[in-house]
Amino acid sequence: MRSVALTAVAPVAWGTNYYVTHEFLPPDTPLYGAALRALPAGLVLLGLCGQRPRGAWWWRSAVLGLLNVSVFFVLVYAASQLLPTSIASTVMAVSPLAMMLIAWPLVSERPGTAHLAGAAIGLGGVCLMLLTGTEGISVPGVSASAAAVLVSSFGHILTKRWNTAGTDVLASTAWQLTAGGLFLLPVAAAVEGPPPALSPSALLAFGYVTLIATALAFAAWFTGLRHLPSGTVGLIGLLNPVTGVLLGTAVAGDVLTVQQLCGLALVLFGVVLGRPARAGRRGGSRIRPRPVPDERPARESSTCGPG
């Protein structure tokens, strides 16, 4: 449960990121927006861990930085500007199913019945929260959000596969963010020209997006991927749309309808249903008897060392 709570930091922070990006960041510079989100976060984590990539992690960091950071951040930035906060985050509700299906061939994690049931229930709850008669939904915005789901799901499962026990999670996260930010800077300069002028509120927003919604969130997320099944992590990701809907409703002053409350309850139930079972409960209430020590002559045991 500690791993679940730590992992939940990420989708909650990402749910707030949609609102902050939509309200305070420049709308016409997704490449610079993604670069300014990724590179400072990567450098901060790089300074904290003080480790450089070694061996295969040079090219792995480049691949994961391209998927999890460069492409994903640009798509999320575009979706945040084109869609309302609640809808942009709600489209991400298909990520649990995507992660389960991708994890099956890549890391040999076959989705369990509880994971599939939790994903289906959570997805149904998100649909209840989304289908509230909202008009004028941007098709490019929904497409960008759906593409972000596929790209990030594949990248996150690759991260789980490559993050072996000997690799520091904070270091690998720093390498990905730094590589992704470095990829984005020249492309942004070529496509969008000079960096945009930022107001004080935009600078504060970038500070929040960089430190909380990126550095802290990705470190928590990848730590969860190491210690929890992919299906469980994907279900925890349903807190992303829940946060987006609640934040959008609270800030905009809209009333949370009965339909949305039912959807919220279903999402939370799906997360609880798909959580990892306790080791003590999985085997029932049976308690294995303690083995009886072998009664050997004292002179035999005295000749045996600890190894």
Side-chain angles (χ1 to χ4, degrees), residues 83-112:
L83 296 171
T85 299
S86 57
I87 296 177
S89 58
T90 297
V91 179
M92 300 295 289
V94 299
S95 61
L97 290 175
M99 288 185 66
M100 289 180 199
L101 294 177
I102 294 173
W104 196 343
L106 285 185
V107 293
S108 300
E109 285 188 3
R110 185 174 182 177

Side-chain angles (χ1 to χ4, degrees), residues 5-307:
L6 176 63
T7 308
V9 171
V12 171
W14 291 336
T16 63
N17 175 67
Y18 286 100
Y19 171 76
V20 173
T21 300
H22 184 80
E23 293 293 329
F24 299 106
L25 299 186
D28 301 324
T29 55
L31 293 173
Y32 271 119
L36 293 176
R37 174 187 177 184
L39 188 56
L43 294 177
V44 167
L45 293 182
L46 201 59
L48 291 176
C49 69
Q51 299 182 34
R52 292 185 302 173
R54 295 180 180 178
W57 269 104
W58 283 103
W59 65 266
R60 288 179 178 177
S61 299
V63 172
L64 295 177
L66 189 64
L67 292 173
N68 292 335
V69 180
S70 300
V71 178
F72 176 64
F73 281 11
V74 171
L75 291 172
V76 167
Y77 196 97
S80 300
Q81 297 293 349
L82 294 171
L83 296 171
T85 299
S86 57
I87 296 177
S89 58
T90 297
V91 179
M92 300 295 289
V94 299
S95 61
L97 290 175
M99 288 185 66
M100 289 180 199
L101 294 177
I102 294 173
W104 196 343
L106 285 185
V107 293
S108 300
E109 285 188 3
R110 185 174 182 177
T113 304
H115 287 151
L116 292 175
I121 292 173
L123 184 59
V126 169
C127 289
L128 280 179
M129 298 172 72
L130 175 61
L131 302 177
T132 55
T134 304
E135 298 179 358
I137 298 178
S138 169
V139 174
V142 173
S143 301
S145 191
V149 170
L150 296 177
V151 170
S152 63
S153 297
F154 183 69
H156 293 165
I157 297 304
L158 273 184
T159 303
K160 180 179 180 68
R161 179 174 179 174
W162 289 341
N163 255 340
T164 57
T167 306
D168 182 72
V169 174
L170 194 66
S172 65
T173 305
W175 302 336
Q176 293 179 51
L177 290 170
T178 304
L182 291 176
F183 285 149
L184 285 167
L185 274 182
V187 179
V191 175
E192 298 176 351
L198 298 178
S199 64
S201 60
L203 287 173
L204 289 175
F206 266 121
Y208 173 82
V209 167
T210 297
L211 297 177
I212 305 301
T214 304
L216 176 62
F218 271 80
W221 185 254
F222 290 143
T223 300
L225 276 172
R226 169 172 289 186
H227 296 289
L228 296 171
S230 302
T232 300
V233 176
L235 288 173
I236 296 172
L238 289 174
L239 296 176
N240 183 336
V242 171
T243 304
V245 169
L246 291 178
L247 183 62
T249 303
V251 174
D254 298 333
V255 178
L256 199 63
T257 64
V258 175
Q259 179 177 331
Q260 288 176 314
L261 286 172
C262 292
L264 177 61
L266 283 178
V267 170
L268 295 177
F269 178 68
V271 173
V272 172
L273 181 64
R275 77 190 190 281
R278 287 185 179 180
R281 292 180 179 178
R282 185 166 293 183
S285 59
R286 295 176 298 175
I287 300 177
R288 294 183 178 181
R290 183 176 298 177
V292 179
D294 189 13
E295 295 182 358
R296 296 183 178 180
R299 56 187 179 88
E300 272 191 33
S301 60
S302 63
T303 60
C304 298

